[in-house]
Amino acid sequence: MASITSIGIGSGLDIESMITQLVAAERVPVKKLQTEASSLQTKLSSYGKLQSGMAALRDAALALTRSSTWGATAGASSDAASVAVATGSTTLPGSYSIEVQRLASVQSNATGVYASADALVGEGTLRIELGAWSAGGSSFTPKAGATAVDITVGPPAESLAQLRDKINASNSGVVASVLTDASGARLVLRSAATGEMNGFRIGATDIDGNNFDGIGLSALAFDPSAGILTMAQALAAANASASLNGLPISSAGNTLSNVLDGMTLTLGKVTTAPVLVEARPDSESMRKALDTFVKAYNDLNTLIVEQTKYDAASKTAGVLQGDSAAVAMRSQMRSLLGGSSGASAMFSRLADVGFDVQSDGSIKLDETKLANGLANLGEMKKLFAASDPLDASNNGIAVRLRTLADQLLGVDGSISTRSEGLRKRIELNGDRQERLEDRVAMTEKRLRAQYTALDTQMASLTSLSNYVTQQLAALNKSRND
């Protein structure tokens, strides 16, 4: 907002407008610098985009140099409902025959029938201990690292529902629930985890003094090794039992992790015939890595084209049109993409595996050639990922592109140095603008002082002129009278 001043009143001249025009003339160099700064900032932003695109290409190329990319496997099963298979990063391709004789199970026991979940059981102390039962239950081996848990019941006597809640809160490795049907309610106990070492025995210290009569809290006792069977066992805890290529395997759970170099088998049911499981090369994940590379390359190529092009029809140029670093970057990329490698005896160029370069510099995949490449996985891996420290001509194409990207993005790389140069020019431009603005402000201050003095002098002369005119008029009048 322009300031309100009285300058010009004395002279009658539009001095404020004169000063404004003179100051505007002084600010012309500042405006030129501002235009230059805007252009520099736009170029710096463009280089930021190139940096981001090159980083994406480097990461995509890096993925194609990793053994984990080309060694990825996927699991397949001839009967996934019986045996499902998943592979890991260390799983090698192969096929195996699996037979399942038994699934892992939990121990499950149940009390006799009560009228309802609110029926009172009794009071005293229950002791729950995890471990393995021998065949026939003649002996019990406590689970290593597990500690028996004592649960105080009452007083007063507690119900099935209350006892269920106490057992579930005890962290004893046993889960309790109340089963209610037409006959009444029963307390059901089961192991929290499968496997023979997760069986359990229950001791009862009944307040009535008799711990074996099945009345009161002793109705929950279970210890076949001591002849105590007041709580019936519906299911025994057991390990899963299977065979892999004829070799017996056992597991506390139905998921067999890392059973074969990162392979995980999930057993679903007992089999009546062998199930074939396979670890196959994961073509889907490899294709995804290749597609990611193609997209990263095409995106960067398109970006460079847009930034460096000149449209003759509209006579408009891209932000980096004529920029030698950007043009050289695209030239280096295309040269590497179309170059040959001695890494593979079967494939020497990316075009051999379906990477066809279009007239605009982009890549289009030939599905037939790509399928042939994936069918010869070892040779295709060499074409992309081989690394020869003694002879660079034997390096894979992805290795070369990753190296180029690292160089361009490095401290001394063209992207970094060009960006830093632009930042310094922007900083210098700002300093020059600041100095010029200071000069403009001083010029305006000087002009205002000069014109204020002139205005004051003009006002004084005008006042004197008016006085003289008045005196002459009065003299003439007196003579006429």
Side-chain angles (χ1 to χ4, degrees):
M1 180 183 292
S3 60
I4 300 175
T5 67
S6 60
I7 190 170
I9 292 178
S11 62
L13 300 174
D14 189 0
I15 293 176
E16 187 65 42
S17 176
M18 294 169 61
I19 293 175
T20 299
Q21 293 179 41
L22 289 170
V23 170
E26 285 288 324
R27 294 196 79 255
V28 169
V30 177
K31 289 185 176 180
K32 289 182 179 179
L33 285 174
Q34 289 173 339
T35 301
E36 180 187 356
S38 177
S39 175
L40 291 172
Q41 193 64 55
T42 302
K43 287 183 178 181
L44 181 60
S45 177
S46 294
Y47 263 94
K49 294 176 182 177
L50 291 182
Q51 184 178 34
S52 178
M54 183 60 70
L57 178 60
R58 177 193 59 192
D59 293 344
L62 178 60
L64 293 177
T65 67
R66 291 179 176 142
S67 295
S68 59
T69 299
W70 301 104
T73 55
S77 172
S78 63
D79 182 2
S82 297
V83 184
V85 58
T87 60
S89 59
T90 59
T91 306
L92 298 176
S95 59
Y96 309 90
S97 176
I98 308 293
E99 294 183 74
V100 182
Q101 291 84 34
R102 184 179 64 221
L103 295 178
S105 60
V106 299
Q107 179 178 326
S108 180
N109 286 41
T111 65
V113 178
Y114 291 79
S116 71
D118 295 325
L120 298 179
V121 179
E123 55 184 293
T125 302
L126 285 180
R127 166 164 284 207
I128 300 177
E129 187 175 11
L130 298 182
W133 290 104
S134 64
S138 59
S139 64
F140 181 81
T141 303
K143 182 178 181 179
T147 303
V149 175
D150 291 329
I151 301 173
T152 301
V153 184
E158 297 184 358
S159 67
L160 285 179
Q162 290 174 312
L163 189 52
R164 172 200 61 198
D165 296 340
K166 279 196 170 183
I167 292 173
N168 288 338
S170 69
N171 195 31
S172 62
V174 171
V175 178
S177 57
V178 175
L179 173 64
T180 303
D181 60 13
S183 62
R186 284 169 285 178
L187 185 67
V188 177
L189 305 182
R190 62 178 175 82
S191 310
T194 59
E196 62 184 22
M197 288 306 299
N198 289 307
F200 57 87
R201 67 178 173 183
I202 300 177
T205 303
D206 202 330
I207 198 172
D208 65 8
N210 192 332
N211 301 327
F212 314 107
D213 60 1
I215 299 173
L217 199 61
S218 62
L220 276 70
F222 177 78
D223 186 355
S225 64
I228 303 172
L229 298 168
T230 50
M231 190 181 218
Q233 184 182 73
L235 184 65
N239 284 354
S241 178
S243 62
L244 189 153
N245 285 355
L247 297 175
I249 53 177
S250 177
S251 171
N254 291 315
T255 299
L256 285 66
S257 300
N258 202 30
V259 65
L260 270 174
D261 296 327
M263 179 183 288
T264 297
L265 302 176
T266 301
L267 310 182
K269 60 183 179 180
V270 173
T271 59
T272 56
V275 175
L276 179 67
V277 297
E278 293 183 272
R280 302 170 178 171
D282 189 358
S283 298
E284 184 176 343
S285 71
M286 295 176 200
R287 176 60 191 265
K288 184 178 180 181
L290 292 168
D291 286 341
T292 299
F293 172 80
V294 170
K295 183 179 186 305
Y297 186 94
N298 286 345
D299 287 349
L300 181 55
N301 177 72
T302 298
L303 177 63
I304 296 176
V305 170
E306 290 176 349
Q307 297 295 315
T308 58
K309 71 179 180 180
Y310 177 78
D311 189 336
S314 62
K315 297 182 179 180
T316 57
V319 174
L320 300 179
Q321 199 274 328
D323 188 290
S324 59
V327 173
M329 188 187 311
R330 183 170 184 242
S331 177
Q332 288 173 295
M333 288 166 52
R334 294 194 65 169
S335 176
L336 278 179
L337 195 70
S340 61
S341 169
S344 168
M346 181 176 292
F347 308 120
S348 62
R349 303 165 65 90
L350 287 182
D352 296 337
V353 292
F355 284 64
D356 293 339
V357 180
Q358 307 301 295
S359 59
D360 62 355
S362 65
I363 301 172
K364 183 178 180 181
L365 290 176
D366 183 308
E367 297 297 336
T368 301
K369 291 182 179 179
L370 181 59
N372 180 56
L374 291 173
N376 296 276
L377 198 55
E379 293 301 313
M380 188 167 180
K381 176 184 176 181
K382 292 177 184 178
L383 175 63
F384 280 93
S387 179
D388 188 341
L390 300 178
D391 187 353
S393 67
N394 291 331
N395 285 339
I397 304 300
V399 172
R400 297 180 188 179
L401 273 170
R402 184 205 64 197
T403 302
L404 172 64
D406 284 339
Q407 292 172 349
L408 293 173
L409 294 170
V411 175
D412 297 326
S414 60
I415 293 179
S416 299
T417 55
R418 191 77 174 97
S419 297
E420 183 60 27
L422 288 169
R423 277 190 286 268
K424 287 182 178 179
R425 289 178 63 185
I426 291 171
E427 184 179 346
L428 290 173
N429 180 286
D431 291 341
R432 292 178 62 191
Q433 285 190 53
E434 187 176 345
R435 290 196 297 271
L436 285 176
E437 289 287 8
D438 289 342
R439 191 177 78 177
V440 169
M442 291 177 65
T443 299
E444 182 177 6
K445 183 178 180 180
R446 175 173 53 79
L447 288 172
R448 287 190 178 279
Q450 290 175 342
Y451 277 107
T452 297
L454 174 63
D455 192 51
T456 300
Q457 188 173 4
M458 290 290 289
S460 177
L461 291 173
T462 299
S463 178
L464 178 60
S465 175
N466 291 337
Y467 174 75
V468 171
T469 300
Q470 290 174 0
Q471 292 301 313
L472 289 174
L475 179 62
N476 290 334
K477 183 178 180 183
S478 63
R479 286 179 179 177
N480 291 334
D481 292 340

